[in-house]
């Protein structure tokens, strides 16, 4: 998660990870090689190991590989003091969803830190009706205005 301020009236929070795409692409690659490369073939400089073709196994890998690729959404949040609006934009392969809230409806913005299995930072927006909106999460590091908070909070 990266928090920046291009000018004094705007603050932006961006969350994007390449890992869902990489893991999905790896699963799809394994699935396609299992389905389309015949057993015992010379593949990538070696012999393809399976004794028999396991098409169902490859199809499952292809299916489970496409799930993170299709379902992952990046998050961009923009606080704008001039228009007094916060815009939350979630973008993925299946489309884009934009939520807008007035800054007057915001009660507080708070950061939580969990230390289970490493550090996990979560940034929330609390509205006047006590409902919460997750603005972003980050595993391991959080950068606000160029300052890495993981070094401030320790391990």
């Amino acid at each position: 998660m990266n928090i920046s301020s291009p000018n004094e009236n705007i603050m932006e929070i961006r969350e994007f990870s390449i890992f869902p795409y990489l893991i999905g692409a790896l699963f799809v690659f394994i699935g396609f090689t299992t389905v389309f490369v015949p057993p015992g073939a010379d593949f990538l400089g070696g012999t393809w190991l399976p004794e028999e073709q396991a098409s169902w196994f490859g199809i499952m890998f292809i299916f489970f590989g496409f799930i993170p690729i299709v379902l992952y959404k990046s998050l961009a949040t923009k606080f704008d003091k001039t228009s007094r609006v916060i815009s939350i934009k979630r973008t993925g392969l299946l489309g884009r969803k934009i939520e807008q809230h007035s800054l007057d409806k915001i009660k507080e913005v708070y950061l939580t830190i969990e230390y289970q299995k490493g550090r996990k930072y979560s940034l929330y927006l609390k509205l006047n009706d006590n409902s919460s909106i997750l603005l972003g999460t980050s595993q391991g590091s959080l950068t606000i205005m160029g300052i890495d908070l993981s070094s401030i909070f320790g391990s």
Side-chain angles (χ1 to χ4, degrees):
M1 180 170 29
N2 186 4
I3 301 173
S4 63
S5 181
N7 64 46
E8 61 191 33
N9 293 322
I10 295 175
M11 182 174 76
E12 296 176 340
I13 302 168
R14 297 192 181 274
E15 180 181 17
F16 177 79
S17 178
I18 193 86
F19 292 116
Y21 297 113
L22 292 176
I23 291 170
L26 178 67
F27 269 66
V28 169
F29 176 75
I30 291 170
F32 274 114
T33 55
T34 305
V35 171
F36 294 113
V37 176
D42 184 23
F43 180 68
L44 296 177
T47 303
W48 186 236
L49 296 177
E51 298 283 329
E52 59 185 57
Q53 195 115 7
S55 296
W56 62 270
F57 184 74
I59 292 170
M60 297 260 308
F61 259 76
I62 293 169
F63 175 75
F64 286 114
F66 275 117
I67 288 175
I69 293 172
V70 172
L71 295 182
Y72 177 73
K73 292 185 181 216
S74 64
L75 180 71
T77 305
K78 183 177 179 182
F79 289 86
D80 190 352
K81 287 195 316 188
T82 56
S83 62
R84 309 238 354 112
V85 171
I86 178 174
S87 300
I88 303 168
K89 181 170 66 171
R90 291 174 172 82
T91 308
L93 289 179
L94 296 179
R96 180 186 327 187
K97 180 182 176 188
I98 299 175
E99 292 179 52
Q100 290 190 336
H101 300 280
S102 170
L103 288 179
D104 299 329
K105 294 181 181 179
I106 299 172
K107 187 175 186 178
E108 63 185 356
V109 178
Y110 60 96
L111 176 71
T112 63
I113 305 169
E114 297 175 23
Y115 289 102
Q116 298 173 343
K117 298 179 184 175
R119 270 187 306 262
K120 178 182 176 185
Y121 302 99
S122 300
L123 189 62
Y124 291 93
L125 186 69
K126 191 167 196 172
L127 302 178
N128 288 332
D129 63 357
N130 286 331
S131 63
S132 292
I133 299 172
L134 177 65
L135 296 180
T137 60
S138 179
Q139 293 282 97
S141 68
L142 174 65
T143 305
I144 298 178
M145 314 282 234
I147 300 169
D148 185 12
L149 289 184
S150 58
S151 62
I152 294 173
F153 291 121
S155 53

